[in-house]
Each structure stands twice: as structure tokens, then as C-alpha cells.
Amino acid sequence: MNAPKDPAQHHDLSGRAPAPAPAPAPAHRHGDAHTHGHTHGHAHHAVADDLDWELLAGHLEASGELHVPAHRAAAARLSELLGGGREVRRVLDIGSGPGVMTCVLAEAFPEAEVVAVDGTPALLDRALARAGRLGLSGRVGVHHARLPEGLADGALGAADLVWSSEAVHHLGDQQGALDALARVLRPGGMLAVAESGLPMRFLPRDLGFGRPGLQARLDALQEDRYQAMRAGLPGSVPVAEDWPAMLRRAGLTGVGAFTTLLDLPAPLGEPGRDFLHSRLTRLRDASDGSLDALDLETLDRLLDPAAAEGLRRRPDVFLLSAATVFAGKRPVL
Ligand SMILES: C[S@@+](CC[C@H](N)C(=O)[O-])C[C@H]1O[C@@H](n2cnc3c(N)ncnc32)[C@H](O)[C@@H]1O
């Protein structure tokens, strides 16, 4: 059954004191849709890091579409946390990419205007086109803004829900960004950031060729590239990525977390295979010297569309992805 498990393993978002036990360092989900540090041979950079978001548009949209069931579960949970969502009149999706979640939010909050905010115009065009296809044009808008400059007080208008997935980590000062996003909230409004989870899994540990554990080695490679990406961002500020603590420092209360799961067991369908092929291709291109010859050869076999043991044809490819959402509310004074 290719259906997602119900996601909502929810911790306290009700204002109760969070569990005191220190959480293990969160495993980043970064790289689910993109790899950090890869080169495209493309001169134009839409935003101030080394990723060309415009070139990644199709990949981001394919990733978003695969994750729609998990996005819907996240949106339903947020609606619940906001008392059913009836009072939610304005929602911002910060770093929206092609607007898949923007549209899911518009469906989940039928009374709300939902605005996709992003620094890449081509992605906002996709968001508008998507909203049109889904009959949501009247309520979905876009706002082109380069962050953090675009977070200046008043620039985004007020909102009842601010959602941001996998975007804050592309800003040098993550705490500063959360502080600014919290200021956008109306009293009682909620900021929710999806910025952690587990590295995506899609291959068996032992592929039947090559050295077992390739996926764990690819994770390590991405971790290094992620760190290099963060260190290279303008105004990069090191911070312990304790997202609940960061949200509390931004002045929010009732901070908690829940995790959504996308569980597509083998055999994976074509859209999932297309997405993984594109993702693995980018990982291979980004590896520049960090993988040994045997792992590179293994990747080439996996990427060979004609090979029975390749990603496109082998029966044991699956997709398992977990995203953690951290959320808190602006107090009503
Ligand atoms: C990894 S994608 C996430 C897209 C979508 N939220 C998702 O979860 O699939 C990051 C998005 O943030 C945008 N972004 C990155 N840095 C930005 C910046 N400095 N200003 C504005 N947008 C930025 C990119 O254009 C891209 O759409």
C-alpha cells in the first residue's frame, strides 16, 4: 500500500512545559529535495547561496508532490492547533519554492488568503500556475522577496500562520530570521518551521553489489556539504540548532513539535523513481572526490536506466522520509 502513515506524533503544543530530557541533535532532512554544494555550471544564482533554485524547480515540485500526503497531515495538525482554522485569515509560506505546500495550506484553511514568499521568481510562477490548476487562484498570491532583507518589519504584512519548510537554514542568521517571522504573527498566531527530521531512505543497506552502507556514506557527504553551505552564507551565525529553544527565544509560547512521515514501500512507482534518479544524479555530481571509486561505480550502476539492478528497475526501491515541524504561538497579551 503506497499510503503514508499517519504522521502526527505530536509533542506538546498546548503551552505545557516541554519535556526536560535533552533531545539528541536533530538529524537534518536537508537534501531531501536538493543537495548542498553542488555545481550546475549555471551562472545565475537566484539567492545568496550556491544553489540555483530555478534549475531545481522541477525537482522541488516533484518532491513536493510526492510529499503531498505528509503535507496534508501537517496542515491538518496545524489547523487543529489553531482551533480548527476558522479564524485563520492570512497564511504565509516562507521560502515556498514551487508552492506545493502553499496550495495544501489554502485547501486546509478555506477562509484564508495564502501567500507564497520566495526569492526565486520562476518558483513563484510555478506556485501561481499550480494554484490556478487547483482552482485556488482567488486565494493564493505570491510575494517576491529576498531574505533576510525581505523580513524587515511590515514588509510581509501580518499573518495568523507563518509556515516555512527547509528555508530558514538557507539564511545566515537563523535565530534572527525566526525573530523576524515571529514579529509577523498576529496575537495568537502560529509560526511553524519544518527544519529537521531524518535523512531520506530509499535503498537497501546491501544492494547486492558494491560496499554495503552507501546511503549512510552519502548522508555523511551531505552533512559536510550542508555545513560548508551554512558557513558560506552571508552573515552566517553559528547556533545550536535547538529549534524549540530558538522559537522560545523568538518570544513564542506553547512550543512543541510533531513529525510527518512519508512511507512509500517497495516497489516504488514511477514518479518516486524519477525523483530519486534525479536526486541521486545530483548527489553523484556533487561528490567531487569525496566518494571512493567503488562507490562511484555503484552509483553509476544504480543510475543506469537499462540496468536491472539500477534504481529505475530494481524491485526493492522504496521512499521513507520524516519531517519534524516545530511550532509556537505569539502570546495574546
Ligand atoms: C529547499 S527549498 C524549500 C522549498 C519548499 N519550502 C519545500 O519545503 O519544498 C528552499 C526555498 O527557499 C528559497 N530561498 C532560499 N534562500 C532564500 C533567500 N535568501 N531569500 C528568499 N528565498 C530563499 C529558495 O528559492 C527555495 O524555494
Side-chain angles (χ1 to χ4, degrees):
M1 189 186 68
N2 274 12
K5 292 201 172 128
D6 184 339
Q9 293 124 14
H10 155 242
H11 311 223
D12 181 21
L13 281 166
S14 63
R16 293 190 298 273
H28 292 288
R29 195 169 63 97
H30 55 78
D32 280 7
H34 57 286
T35 64
H36 291 279
H38 59 286
T39 53
H40 303 289
H42 196 285
H44 169 69
H45 293 278
V47 291
D49 61 22
D50 61 350
L51 292 165
D52 186 329
W53 295 110
E54 188 169 339
L55 205 64
L56 284 170
H59 190 68
L60 286 173
E61 195 158 5
S63 172
E65 282 172 354
L66 283 170
H67 283 85
V68 160
H71 289 338
R72 287 201 173 121
R77 187 77 188 108
L78 294 173
S79 170
E80 201 181 307
L81 292 165
L82 285 160
R86 280 174 300 280
E87 305 299 317
V88 175
R89 296 280 184 259
R90 191 157 187 269
V91 178
L92 299 176
D93 180 358
I94 305 293
S96 63
V100 180
M101 183 59 168
T102 313
C103 291
V104 168
L105 288 167
E107 286 166 351
F109 296 96
E111 307 298 323
E113 170 205 19
V114 185
V115 183
V117 179
D118 205 280
T120 308
L123 293 176
L124 295 176
D125 290 346
R126 281 194 182 236
L128 282 179
R130 183 173 196 84
R133 286 197 300 279
L134 295 173
L136 295 166
S137 297
R139 288 193 299 112
V140 169
V142 298
H143 177 85
H144 177 234
R146 184 187 168 99
L147 311 180
E149 298 82 358
L151 294 175
D153 282 351
L156 295 175
D160 304 294
L161 171 62
V162 175
W163 164 266
S164 183
S165 165
E166 308 253 328
V168 172
H169 70 243
H170 288 288
L171 305 179
D173 182 0
Q174 298 180 106
Q175 181 68 58
L178 294 182
D179 294 349
L181 291 173
R183 285 196 293 273
V184 167
L185 294 173
R186 293 180 178 137
M190 176 174 276
L191 170 61
V193 291
E195 279 290 348
S196 183
L198 295 171
M200 184 181 284
R201 281 285 174 272
F202 50 95
L203 293 169
R205 187 192 67 87
D206 190 337
L207 296 162
F209 58 93
R211 188 155 59 99
L214 174 67
Q215 198 137 38
R217 292 191 292 286
L218 292 175
D219 290 343
L221 187 151
Q222 279 187 275
E223 203 61 52
D224 287 345
R225 296 198 159 265
Y226 182 81
Q227 183 48 33
M229 181 282 291
R230 283 234 27 93
L233 287 171
S236 183
V237 180
V239 65
E241 287 166 358
D242 176 346
W243 294 96
M246 291 161 80
L247 289 179
R248 281 192 287 270
R249 281 201 293 275
L252 302 183
T253 57
V255 173
F258 62 90
T259 293
T260 59
L261 195 64
L262 182 71
D263 179 9
L264 304 179
L268 191 64
E270 280 309 305
R273 286 174 194 265
D274 289 347
F275 163 72
L276 291 176
H277 195 275
S278 146
R279 175 181 155 80
L280 209 57
T281 300
R282 252 199 302 288
L283 276 169
R284 196 210 182 289
D285 292 350
S287 66
D288 40 72
S290 348
L291 292 175
D292 66 20
L294 183 56
D295 278 347
L296 287 174
E297 191 188 314
T298 303
L299 280 175
D300 287 341
R301 277 176 80 172
L302 281 169
L303 290 170
D304 180 351
E309 71 277 21
L311 197 58
R312 292 236 182 245
R313 296 182 55 199
R314 57 186 301 135
D316 53 7
V317 176
F318 57 95
L319 201 163
L320 185 62
S321 156
T324 299
V325 178
F326 302 94
K329 287 186 182 178
R330 177 169 172 181
V332 182
L333 296 175

